[in-house]
């Protein structure tokens, strides 16, 4: 860890523990320089990091203040990771997802941003143009993925500042299939896989389905994946693969720093362990530049980078990809054996859109909408919810991870909210141990309106109900 | 087995063994009646069956003659099925499929009919209409499959004369995904699965991928799956599921009689063993009526009926389905966990086409084209190939299973044909034991032209090459 990151982490811990209360100023530049023996620029970088994490706010001439909503109780990081275990998560996840599907429900628990934010008319135009351009032989020649689309995907990597080989890219039915195929390519039944905790439930479902075992690596809502815990888990367990989300992690919204991404890739390279990188929110960054994936630091083809157009452009088209490094052949074969190919008109349509449709312009507008919606949700949360409810503002994506008081039972909260027509994603969905009983994930991917405002008010009322508390 | 089927089978064996030579008449009605002690109508039904199998031809006033090309050497049916085994087929299959993908190659080895036979312009119109009719919420409400499409699929079952519940139908990414999900739903690693021999290589690949073991049940090119062999395999091995193709079986093209379908379902019902029924050629029947699937005789939800639009309408759309009986919930969950949903515009487009596009009219024209192409291929085969090459004319689909002299090495034939720009599907692709070394599967799903004629001529030349013989 860099010095400025150490300083930022120490200050973050003091803030979260309440030692530096909301509204007070941070220790002065001079104090920190003296305490750590570092330069002024190092301290400024630490402050900048704290600001990025949403913990402090800079006010001109007055210095850095601790921001409202900053004090998140730390999630217990176990020194020893627990023994790998079989996973049993699907019933819980399906019962929650079922309850959120009705069109009349307020979709705070949804996993998608609102399709109203996407350019569906322009995309249909590309679907028609792309489909018209297909030759009769396209269905045979392009298996398992369209060359045109793979070229377009490759160009976006170049735009981020690094290159991938076209043969590395396998077009899939959404990122979900990409992640599943990558996992299948590098594991056998009984193998141990490291996942994030809290983490995306689909990873847990895949592990359950393939008879694998999971080791959960803690994710801190401020600094992200705990690399020390990962290091110790690598020593303790025969980990065969990792499934992580370094950018805007689901469900915490946190990202790894460049330094931590580099360290993560290096740590896994030493043991030659493949990393399945879920990067579906990569284009939804609020800061100026698209964050690099861990894949950018992968010199040996060990990182399988998975993403899609489902969260940014075309949710129903089911087009994603895996850039699978040295495992590309294996992933391609698994694709051919299980689903053969993604929908060919949909591939042609997205390729045409990427070339002619104005994707970057659309993305700028989408990111702005998401930031405004986040602001609106935070205002409502501050207005309605008790100050004991904490969160860390994410720097991208469309989900917010709320930490409620320890007494709250999120599953009860989910049940009562559901009865009132509001979906939320309760914390236990995101853990093989059904932990995070006092957490919920909220979706701010929908244009804010009175329904959402009123739903937040209802959640506050439900939180007053004694039956949702231990 | 019914009496008329027994009689037909006995006569078929005599024909194949050469005891009743090509061009001679069958024993007279009177002889057979005396020999078996049956009625005249039973014998006529036996003759009809032999005609249907392509073994005899009726000539007015002259009676039944043994047809040219009828004498297929019987594939050895082992009394004892072999021990279940791990499967290792993928390398072989992929190397063959790779070699057939180039647009300049003559696609006799292809698994698809020519897309030129499909109404792509009319379908694009439906794709646009269907996509326009989607609401923004369709992506969420319709998971994992469009209600509209499932209604349309259900209507086609009713058209065949039996009903399925709409909840039974899961829309998938082509039949390949349907088959794979069904297999996953009813097996665990190490389980034994019964497959056909020769049979569809994707079944073998799935078994390999999921760490299952295969028991191969012989398929006779005339009468289809050997139910006696299946019965004895069920006694010998702990079979957990069967994966069979009762209509226009791939690669032999043979179909089970109604009686045998009924007996198959009953045999499996007694032991409560699920049947995964691959019925992708169901709409490509040459006789007047669409053949019933085994699913039609399933009273307990044990049959999972899988099909698609890839072979009849829209190869690139990747839309298929499983009608999965009592396993529907499990299959639906596996779909949600692995690929979430098939392409939603493609689903909407096909649903619109089924409702308004004139599918039945298109199918009538497609079937006619396939029959004409089969006729053209048979003429070329008779013209160019030695009379030692045998086949049974299929009653539907677009593939023909050639049995070459025992000395032929199909893999060598494939290699030499490939070098001359001709793809064929060699027999060993269709068996876990890499058997059927003297067989090849040819595709007659493409409009016949000089390229195909010349390719058949080239195959004849290659057959003269000593290096393709033992």
């Amino acid at each position: 860890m860099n010095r400025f990151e150490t300083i930022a982490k120490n200050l973050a811990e003091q803030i979260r523990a309440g030692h530096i209360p909301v509204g007070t100023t941070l220790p002065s530049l001079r104090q920190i320089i003296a305490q750590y023996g570092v330069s002024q620029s190092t301290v400024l970088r630490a402050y900048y990091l704290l600001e990025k994490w949403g913990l402090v706010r800079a006010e001109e001439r007055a210095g850095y203040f601790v921001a409202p909503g900053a004090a998140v109780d730390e999630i217990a990081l176990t020194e020893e990771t627990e023994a790998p275990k079989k996973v049993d998560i699907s019933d819980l996840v399906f019962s929650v997802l079922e309850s959120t599907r009705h069109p009349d429900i307020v979709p705070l628990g949804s996993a998608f941003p609102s399709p109203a934010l996407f350019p569906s008319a322009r995309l249909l135009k590309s679907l028609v143009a792309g489909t018209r351009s297909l030759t009769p032989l396209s269905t045979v020649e392009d298996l398992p993925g369209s060359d045109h689309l793979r070229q377009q995907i490759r160009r976006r990597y170049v735009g981020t500042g690094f290159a991938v080989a076209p043969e590395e890219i396998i077009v899939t039915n959404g990122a979900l299939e990409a992640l599943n195929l990558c996992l299948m390519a590098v594991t056998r039944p009984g193998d141990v896989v490291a996942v994030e905790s809290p983490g995306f439930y689909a990873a847990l479902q895949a592990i359950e389905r393939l008879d694998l075992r999971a080791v959960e690596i803690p994710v801190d809502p401020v600094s992200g994946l705990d690399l020390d815990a990962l290091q110790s888990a690598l020593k303790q367990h025969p980990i065969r693969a990792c499934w992580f989300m370094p950018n805007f992690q689901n469900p915490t919204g946190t990202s790894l720093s460049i330094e931590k991404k580099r360290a993560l890739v290096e740590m896994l390279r030493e043991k030659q362990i493949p990393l399945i990188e879920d990067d579906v929110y990569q284009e939804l960054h609020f800061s100026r530049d698209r964050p690099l994936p861990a894949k950018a630091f992968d010199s040996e083809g060990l990182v399988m980078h998975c993403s899609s157009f489902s969260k940014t452009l075309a949710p129903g088209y089911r087009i994603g990809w895996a850039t699978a490094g040295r495992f590309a052949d294996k992933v391609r074969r698994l694709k051919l054996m299980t689903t053969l190919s993604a929908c060919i008109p949909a591939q042609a349509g997205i390729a045409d859109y990427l070339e002619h449709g104005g994707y970057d312009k659309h993305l700028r507008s989408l990111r702005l909408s998401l930031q405004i919606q986040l602001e609106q949700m935070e205002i409502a949360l501050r207005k309605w919810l008790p100050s004991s409810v904490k969160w860390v503002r994410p720097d991208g994506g469309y989900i917010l991870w709320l930490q409620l008081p320890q007494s709250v039972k999120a599953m009860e909260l989910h049940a009562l909210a559901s009865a009132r027509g509001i979906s939320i994603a309760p914390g236990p969905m995101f853990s093989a141990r059904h932990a995070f009983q006092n957490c919920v994930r909220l979706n701010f991917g929908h244009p804010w309106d009175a329904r959402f405002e009123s739903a937040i008010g209802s959640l506050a009322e439900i939180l007053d109900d004694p039956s949702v508390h231990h």
Side-chain angles (χ1 to χ4, degrees), chain A:
Chain A
M1 203 180 285
N2 280 341
R3 306 223 51 186
F4 74 90
E5 204 179 359
T6 307
I7 297 170
K9 203 178 169 186
N10 288 348
L11 288 170
E13 274 163 16
Q14 291 178 55
I15 292 169
R16 284 178 308 192
H19 300 321
I20 314 179
V22 168
T24 62
T25 54
L26 286 187
S28 71
L29 262 181
R30 190 169 314 188
Q31 275 176 289
I32 308 282
I33 290 168
Q35 185 182 346
Y36 291 92
V38 293
S39 70
Q40 179 172 313
S41 76
T42 300
V43 183
L44 286 174
R45 289 179 77 187
Y47 282 0
Y48 175 76
L49 206 56
L50 289 167
E51 192 180 14
K52 184 164 169 286
W53 291 342
L55 290 170
V56 304
R57 287 199 186 158
E59 302 205 351
E60 235 173 318
R61 276 184 255 274
Y64 283 90
F65 285 86
V66 175
V72 172
D73 299 334
E74 187 154 16
I75 288 158
L77 303 184
T78 43
E79 271 304 304
E80 292 269 300
T81 50
E82 293 184 49
K85 51 185 59 146
K86 291 263 210 174
V87 173
D88 171 24
I89 190 84
S90 280
D91 283 339
L92 173 59
V93 169
F94 281 114
S95 76
V96 171
L97 292 184
E98 274 301 319
S99 73
T100 68
R101 193 163 302 158
H102 197 274
D104 291 337
I105 213 151
V106 186
L108 289 169
S110 162
F112 287 90
S114 167
L117 299 173
F118 299 144
S120 54
R122 180 63 190 80
L123 188 58
L124 178 57
K125 200 178 144 190
S126 277
L127 180 63
V128 172
T131 305
R132 284 229 174 88
S133 75
L134 294 172
T135 66
L137 272 170
S138 302
T139 34
V140 182
E141 284 164 59
D142 277 354
L143 293 179
S146 140
D147 271 348
H148 185 198
L149 179 57
R150 294 194 295 148
Q151 282 161 19
Q152 292 296 322
I153 291 170
R154 184 155 177 262
R155 287 182 60 179
R156 295 201 69 80
Y157 281 102
V158 176
T160 329
F162 72 105
V164 300
E167 315 82 70
E168 264 193 89
I169 301 172
I170 296 107
V171 175
T172 58
N173 295 90
L176 186 61
E177 185 182 39
L179 293 160
N180 271 288
L181 294 179
C182 289
L183 184 63
M184 243 192 291
V186 296
T187 58
R188 308 258 310 157
D191 279 353
V192 178
V193 178
V195 295
E196 296 161 326
S197 180
F200 181 32
Y201 47 78
L204 300 172
Q205 290 180 314
I207 286 168
E208 183 177 349
R209 187 173 59 80
L210 298 172
D211 277 313
L212 306 168
R213 289 171 301 153
V215 170
E216 296 192 274
I217 311 297
V219 172
D220 182 278
V222 175
S223 56
L225 188 74
D226 185 332
L227 291 189
D228 296 338
L230 175 62
Q231 186 71 276
S232 106
L234 290 172
K235 279 182 195 135
Q236 286 172 60
H237 310 296
I239 292 175
R240 287 295 303 268
C242 298
W243 175 327
F244 298 147
M245 196 169 173
N247 292 321
F248 319 124
Q249 195 254 355
N250 184 0
T252 64
T254 185
S255 295
L256 295 189
S257 66
I258 285 282
E259 291 75 16
K260 284 184 81 170
K261 283 173 186 159
R262 202 190 302 268
L264 168 65
V265 172
E266 174 58 22
M267 193 185 288
L268 297 179
R269 190 196 60 75
E270 269 171 25
K271 299 202 171 229
Q272 294 288 299
I273 295 172
L275 169 61
I276 301 162
E277 180 176 27
D278 179 355
D279 202 15
V280 290
Y281 302 150
Q282 62 176 348
E283 301 279 13
L284 302 178
H285 49 94
F286 300 160
S287 56
R288 206 193 57 189
D289 294 323
R290 175 152 34 129
L292 283 172
K295 177 78 182 170
F297 306 103
D298 172 33
S299 56
E300 301 193 8
L302 276 164
V303 179
M304 290 171 271
H305 183 246
C306 301
S307 191
S308 82
F309 301 99
S310 303
K311 309 301 190 342
T312 52
L313 175 65
Y317 283 51
R318 307 299 310 139
I319 300 295
W321 71 91
T323 303
R326 65 167 83 159
F327 308 102
D329 275 344
K330 195 142 186 216
V331 172
R332 185 176 301 110
R333 283 182 165 210
L334 285 170
K335 170 75 190 160
L336 286 168
M337 278 196 263
T338 52
T339 63
L340 194 61
S341 163
C343 177
I344 287 175
Q347 293 186 58
I350 288 184
D352 183 274
Y353 179 87
L354 291 177
E355 197 168 358
H356 307 296
Y359 191 37
D360 283 310
K361 187 160 168 257
H362 156 62
L363 286 173
R364 280 194 294 275
S365 138
L366 174 62
R367 288 180 205 122
L368 194 59
S369 300
L370 294 177
Q371 285 182 79
I372 291 167
Q373 290 161 200
L374 170 58
E375 193 71 37
Q376 288 165 314
M377 180 176 272
E378 283 192 290
I379 290 167
L381 291 172
R382 284 193 214 103
K383 179 174 169 193
W384 295 104
L385 294 192
S387 62
S388 54
V389 176
K390 313 289 184 192
W391 63 89
V392 180
R393 176 187 296 166
D395 199 30
Y398 49 86
I399 51 172
L400 197 61
W401 182 242
L402 290 195
Q403 189 155 351
L404 307 168
Q406 284 292 344
S407 63
V408 168
K409 296 181 284 184
M411 290 311 297
E412 298 293 320
L413 185 64
H414 159 67
L416 291 182
S418 190
R420 292 173 71 160
I422 302 158
S423 83
I424 58 173
M429 284 174 80
F430 303 98
S431 144
R433 293 169 291 125
H434 299 190
F436 310 105
Q437 294 280 348
N438 66 320
C439 297
V440 300
R441 186 192 75 179
L442 298 186
N443 176 310
F444 59 85
H446 295 70
W448 195 256
D449 60 21
R451 272 170 91 215
F452 285 96
E453 184 78 24
S454 149
I456 302 288
S458 299
L459 287 182
E461 281 172 31
I462 298 167
L463 273 176
D464 282 341
D465 190 318
S467 72
V468 305
H469 295 269
H470 287 289

